Amino acid sequence: MRRICAVKRSVRFPVSTALLRRLALASIIANVGIVVTGGAVRLTGSGLGCPTWPRCTEESYVTTPEMGIYGVIEFGNRLLTFAVGFIALAVLLAVLLHLPRRRDLVPLAVAVLLGIPAQAVIGGITVLTDLNPWVVGLHFLASMLVIAAAYALWRRIKDPVGPAEAVVPAPLRTLAALTTVVSAAVLVIGTWVTGSGPHAGDHGAARNGLDPETISQVHADSVFLLIGLSVALVFAFRAVGAQRAARAALVLVAVELGQGLIGFVQYFTNLPALLVGAHMLGSCLVLLATLSVQWSTRERRPVAPSPTPDAADRAVPVAA
């Protein structure tokens, strides 16, 4: 009888926490990767390599030799979406096999999986609107949301099941939240800068009409604000003895400085494609580092298991 129960348990929980975390990390990496490859599509002028969607041409779902290298690059990026979706599906299946231990992971896994086709649909709309810069920006921001959900899933897997408790005072949690809002604003304004610049994804694509110099200055000012808030977090966390949060904030400052350096160099060197691609990767890293800081302000404590009926029966009452 005990052997049968042991077999049932092994079938019920075939996915370890370690494997689940590896799959969730792979999902983060894959989603960051498709942002970078999507940037390569735009930077090589291949945004309309497949001039329609969901087909690549009116007659074919795949690229044709007549479409040349631009069609190959655009179609290749579309294929990568299936790979990213497959990883997200694997994560969801692993979470379901992990049940009922971690029911709290299901909504996040579903959000990541559903976010990928949603992001792909927005990508299709960018093609159907001839790379409208506002839709292109929305396409990038949708990817950022999927990355954020994938990161939250990865962190929640490591955390024990239990209520989140604050590890820093309320004013510092507010400061961290403000830093997160400013970081999001930097990403949004960055899409406006991109929409005003020369890398449209196709020679005939329209620009958003914003003055590149003016909007670049607004973007730079928002970056300075973000760095200032992040440096403040480092010193504030150290002052209250929150070393884990201070380390996360220090990593954020380092990532922001690296990203800022790439941004300034690309601006003063007329936006070379390689640096613009590195800047897109940096945007993903800034997002992840920002989320790490936000996560470090709270900590989940494991919930003590309730005594089993057998244990309660065996309990010896204490004399008054």
Side-chain angles (χ1 to χ4, degrees):
M1 188 68 178
R2 288 180 179 176
R3 288 183 180 178
I4 294 175
C5 293
V7 171
K8 285 183 177 180
R9 286 193 186 118
S10 65
V11 172
R12 195 175 187 183
F13 304 127
V15 177
S16 67
T17 300
L19 175 58
L20 195 55
R21 286 205 85 210
R22 292 191 190 101
L23 288 172
L25 180 61
S27 182
I28 296 173
I29 295 172
N31 278 285
V32 170
I34 203 166
V35 169
V36 176
T37 58
V41 170
R42 179 168 56 83
L43 295 169
T44 57
S46 306
L48 294 178
C50 288
T52 188
W53 187 89
R55 295 174 182 265
C56 196
T57 69
E58 293 296 339
E59 295 80 23
S60 173
Y61 280 98
V62 300
T63 185
T64 61
E66 294 77 17
M67 301 171 70
I69 187 62
Y70 295 131
V72 172
I73 294 173
E74 164 65 7
F75 182 69
N77 189 63
R78 293 186 183 187
L79 287 180
L80 284 176
T81 302
F82 290 98
V84 177
F86 176 79
I87 294 173
L89 178 60
V91 172
L92 177 59
L93 292 177
V95 167
L96 293 176
L97 290 173
H98 204 64
L99 293 176
R101 287 185 288 183
R102 295 301 303 271
R103 295 184 185 277
D104 59 312
L105 301 177
V106 176
L108 286 170
V110 171
V112 174
L113 180 60
L114 295 182
I116 292 168
Q119 191 259 14
V121 169
I122 297 174
I125 294 173
T126 66
V127 173
L128 298 177
T129 57
D130 294 327
L131 305 182
N132 180 290
W134 300 107
V135 182
V136 171
L138 181 62
H139 186 46
F140 172 79
L141 295 175
S143 295
M144 295 295 102
L145 290 176
V146 176
I147 291 172
Y151 178 82
L153 175 61
W154 178 69
R155 290 298 297 259
R156 285 294 295 273
I157 293 170
K158 182 179 180 181
D159 289 344
V161 178
E165 299 178 3
V167 296
V168 298
L172 297 191
R173 296 199 302 274
T174 301
L175 181 60
L178 177 61
T179 303
T180 301
V181 171
V182 173
S183 182
V186 167
L187 292 175
V188 172
I189 298 172
T191 65
W192 301 348
V193 176
T194 299
S196 69
H199 297 293
D202 185 81
H203 298 298
R207 301 284 72 206
N208 60 21
L210 298 176
D211 178 61
E213 184 175 349
T214 301
I215 196 61
S216 294
Q217 184 61 57
V218 172
H219 184 56
D221 292 341
S222 65
V223 170
F224 289 140
L225 175 59
L226 178 60
I227 293 175
L229 291 171
S230 303
V231 171
L233 281 175
V234 174
F235 288 103
F237 287 151
R238 285 181 175 176
V240 299
Q243 296 303 321
R244 186 169 69 98
R247 287 193 297 270
L250 188 60
V251 170
L252 175 59
V253 171
V255 172
E256 289 166 352
L257 291 176
Q259 175 74 335
L261 177 62
I262 294 172
F264 276 109
V265 172
Q266 71 170 6
Y267 180 79
F268 290 109
T269 55
N270 295 319
L271 302 174
L274 187 60
L275 284 182
V276 174
H279 200 56
M280 292 186 69
L281 173 61
S283 297
C284 298
L285 298 181
V286 168
L287 171 66
L288 293 172
T290 302
L291 294 174
S292 177
V293 171
Q294 189 66 42
W295 215 269
S296 69
T297 63
R298 295 181 180 273
E299 190 173 283
R300 291 184 181 272
R301 312 282 185 184
V303 177
S306 58
T308 61
D310 292 339
D313 293 339
R314 291 195 301 268
V316 179
V318 178

